[in-house]
Amino acid sequence: MPQVAITLAEGRTPEQIRELIHEVHGAVLRTVHARPEYIRVVVHEVPRTHWATGDVTLTELDAAGALDPTAHEEQS
């Protein structure tokens, strides 16, 4: 019974989270051939005030313009 845990900084839409779950479920299904009903995907959203990189919270980085939350590159 595969279980995938994903941790993201908050800020995605419910539609984005749903698409992520769908895509991860499909990847697990294709690669490990588990039965669909046994695949678990859990998404944990962390407030941006509770996630820090280099002792600076994501909220502080946002305010400084250091992060572009709409960028398609790697986001926390």
Side-chain angles (χ1 to χ4, degrees):
M1 181 180 306
Q3 178 169 321
V4 179
I6 301 167
T7 303
L8 296 171
E10 68 183 358
R12 276 62 172 202
T13 67
E15 294 79 15
Q16 288 173 312
I17 298 294
R18 183 63 186 99
E19 182 179 354
L20 175 62
I21 291 169
H22 174 74
E23 292 296 330
V24 169
H25 180 271
V28 172
L29 187 64
R30 286 188 307 276
T31 57
V32 300
H33 309 290
R35 292 177 55 174
E37 64 270 24
Y38 293 152
I39 299 170
R40 308 287 189 256
V41 179
V42 179
V43 178
H44 303 274
E45 286 191 282
V46 177
R48 295 180 78 76
T49 56
H50 290 79
W51 190 309
T53 300
D55 197 33
V56 180
T57 68
L58 296 182
T59 300
E60 293 165 336
L61 289 170
D62 292 340
L67 293 179
D68 179 357
T70 62
H72 294 288
E73 296 176 8
E74 181 179 328
Q75 289 185 340
S76 300

